[in-house]
Amino acid sequence: MCKHCLKPICPSGCPNAEEVPIVEECEYCKEGIREGDRYLEIEDIYLHEDCLSDMSSTELAELIGGVWKCGDSFA
């Protein structure tokens, strides 16, 4: 039993808790995506679910390699 949290298996907030392994790096916040986190994968781009929610559609389009263009004018 842990002397800090008084539990047999320490929850994540306990100082004695084992660190959950990082499986990928979020392209938006540059922090680790940990095993068990929900995240989006687009080719070789990884985003935390919360980071994706915080992004504008413009930021997402540019992050995945989209190029903004203007249509041709017909005179």
Side-chain angles (χ1 to χ4, degrees):
M1 181 166 302
C2 175
K3 66 180 181 178
H4 293 283
C5 67
L6 305 176
K7 297 187 180 190
I9 299 175
C10 299
S12 62
C14 177
N16 287 337
E18 290 185 28
E19 194 165 319
V20 179
I22 293 174
V23 293
E24 299 296 346
E25 181 181 288
C26 178
E27 189 69 31
Y28 186 70
C29 71
K30 304 299 185 197
E31 292 184 12
I33 297 171
R34 299 200 176 269
E35 195 172 276
D37 286 350
R38 187 170 156 98
Y39 66 97
L40 175 67
E41 177 183 350
I42 303 172
E43 294 185 15
D44 291 333
I45 297 171
Y46 305 94
L47 299 164
H48 288 111
E49 184 175 23
D50 290 342
C51 290
L52 179 62
S53 297
D54 292 344
M55 295 175 74
S56 69
S57 56
T58 299
E59 289 174 309
L60 178 59
E62 291 172 354
L63 183 71
I64 63 173
V67 178
W68 293 104
K69 296 184 178 189
C70 293
D72 290 337
S73 304
F74 296 101

